Amino acid sequence: MAAFSMLLFFSCVIMKRTYEPKKNGRYQIMLMMYLSTISTQEEKNKFEQLYHTYERKMYAVAYKILKNPEDAEDVVHDSFQALIENLDKIQEIHCHKTWNYIVTIVKNKAITRYNKKKKYTTGELEEEYFQEESSEDSPVYEYVEKQETAEIVAKLILELPEQYRYVIYLYYYNELPFAEVAKTLEITESNARQIANRARKLLEKRLRERGITHG
């Protein structure tokens, strides 16, 4: 998947994740459950900040690998449990080092789950996604950067005209071919392609206006 297409995928996942928890209260219920397992108030405060800052991004990482909402939810849950056991390793909430650490936990658990279900070797899937290095030149670091930009793009997508949003969501998140997108929206395939192209150009323009570039 091309770099900007990958970015749009993550943005759609984050956008979807932002509003779904508000419908059923699950987001807050899970937070309360996790907090009940933590002993000190200082650690509770730290975990709550981590949860609000990274939960949606963690889900996006897991979903990209597993392509299954329930499996992604389970991976996020397992990852938060691992974080609770290692809160002492986290010094700052809002920094690359912390997110790099979190994304490594999530992707390792997602890969393990994927391999158990698909019976692939871990090495094969790790090579497809990203390796363990954590330097600024590593694939993991690039992945972290894309996730942060995806938060901004998700907000920009919500500002697009309604039909643009639908096409972006169906094509990049649901990964439907343009023929299916057109059928769903009752437009021509050519029109669907044109709308996707216009939406991409508009998003790229608005990112440039914010001084954000993508690979």
Side-chain angles (χ1 to χ4, degrees), residues 52-187:
H52 289 313
T53 303
Y54 297 114
E55 192 269 350
R56 287 173 295 165
K57 295 181 180 181
M58 291 165 69
Y59 179 86
V61 173
Y63 186 87
K64 178 57 191 170
I65 295 173
L66 296 164
K67 300 291 181 65
N68 179 284
E70 290 77 18
D71 287 342
E73 291 278 8
D74 289 343
V75 164
V76 171
H77 173 66
D78 292 345
S79 298
F80 272 128
Q81 288 186 316
L83 284 173
I84 289 172
E85 295 172 2
N86 294 279
L87 283 174
D88 59 310
K89 295 181 180 178
I90 298 175
Q91 303 304 317
E92 296 182 44
I93 303 298
H94 304 281
C95 68
H96 287 304
K97 183 178 179 181
T98 296
W99 176 226
N100 208 348
Y101 175 62
I102 292 172
V103 78
T104 300
I105 291 175
V106 175
K107 70 97 177 177
N108 283 340
K109 291 188 177 298
I111 288 170
T112 298
R113 191 174 188 86
Y114 181 96
N115 290 329
K116 283 182 179 178
K117 294 189 74 172
K118 302 297 183 181
K119 297 182 180 179
Y120 288 169
T121 64
T122 302
E124 289 174 342
L125 193 60
E126 283 185 336
E127 184 177 353
E128 180 183 353
Y129 284 92
F130 29 65
Q131 304 295 324
E132 293 291 342
E133 300 96 327
S134 58
S135 71
E136 293 194 8
D137 295 326
S138 73
V140 170
Y141 189 86
E142 288 183 23
Y143 195 73
V144 170
E145 292 288 285
K146 285 184 174 64
Q147 284 287 303
E148 294 178 344
T149 304
E151 291 270 11
I152 298 171
V153 176
K155 295 176 182 177
L156 293 178
I157 291 173
L158 290 172
E159 297 172 2
L160 292 174
E162 184 177 76
Q163 197 171 44
Y164 284 30
R165 292 200 306 270
Y166 288 156
V167 170
I168 288 288
Y169 190 78
L170 291 171
Y171 184 69
Y172 291 102
Y173 177 74
N174 288 342
E175 299 182 339
L176 295 179
F178 279 118
E180 288 298 317
V181 174
K183 183 178 179 181
T184 301
L185 298 179
E186 297 183 341
I187 58 178

